[in-house]
Amino acid sequence: MFLSQDAIGQLDLMNELYDKAGFVLSDFSGDLMGSKVWMGMFHDPTYRCLLDPSILEVIDATVPITTVVGEDNVDALMAQKDELFFKAASDFGGHGVFVGRSDDAATLRERLGDLQAKRWIAQRACQVAPLMARPLGGDVEVPNTSVLGLYQVGNNWSGVLVRAKDGADVVNVATGSAFGWGYEGLP
């Protein structure tokens, strides 16, 4: 058993184990695919030119404008901070999410820390249509900010996970957002 940070330093050994193992539970591809840096790459002109127009159309309709934060662009991003969310590239559960308008530029820059040690993205805030939902134990539907995520297990799509919270800028389970599987209801 290896953790991803252990395996990264021993790639030759890991490749040999995968070739010889009878069963591999995880090849750590989720660590790579789960990085929010991909969203930044989808909006980077260097990589966009490699994608088909139909793929770009889907990206532009579903992925908020995202930039990988680096020393070369952090000052420009701080100048636009009120329009951005800053997210750690590999954190989950709302950890490492900062609402740009909540801090002054100096405090926000300090929160991001050493940009060489930890990867960050800046994501343009987008207006989300409210999802009307009845809270557990409640009688009335209320408008919620929602996040929808498609999940794949192996080669099969597992559905849509819905996270929602009333009156929230950041929607995550760690701060009390409701979650559940979304499905198309019958008429």
Side-chain angles (χ1 to χ4, degrees), residues 77-137:
L77 292 168
M78 288 298 129
Q80 316 171 44
K81 71 173 189 60
D82 290 351
E83 302 166 23
L84 302 171
F85 284 82
F86 292 84
K87 301 178 180 183
S90 298
D91 286 352
F92 296 95
H95 303 287
V97 176
F98 303 122
V99 181
R101 69 178 176 272
S102 296
D103 289 316
D104 61 69
T107 302
L108 182 57
R109 179 63 186 93
E110 184 177 314
R111 292 177 116 193
L112 297 180
D114 179 2
L115 298 177
Q116 299 299 320
K118 187 169 185 174
R119 301 295 306 259
W120 291 89
I121 62 156
Q123 201 165 58
R124 182 144 325 268
C126 55
Q127 191 65 31
V128 178
L131 172 71
M132 297 303 291
R134 180 180 54 83
L136 288 175

Side-chain angles (χ1 to χ4, degrees), residues 43-65:
H43 291 283
D44 186 327
T46 304
Y47 303 106
R48 284 180 70 85
C49 66
L50 303 172
L51 300 173
D52 291 336
S54 61
I55 298 295
L56 291 173
E57 186 177 327
V58 171
I59 289 169
D60 292 344
T62 59
V63 179
I65 295 172

Side-chain angles (χ1 to χ4, degrees), residues 92-95 97 147 163-165 168-178:
F92 296 95
H95 303 287
V97 176
V147 175
R163 294 174 284 159
K165 188 168 184 180
D169 282 328
V170 178
V171 179
N172 63 68
V173 177
T175 60
S177 297

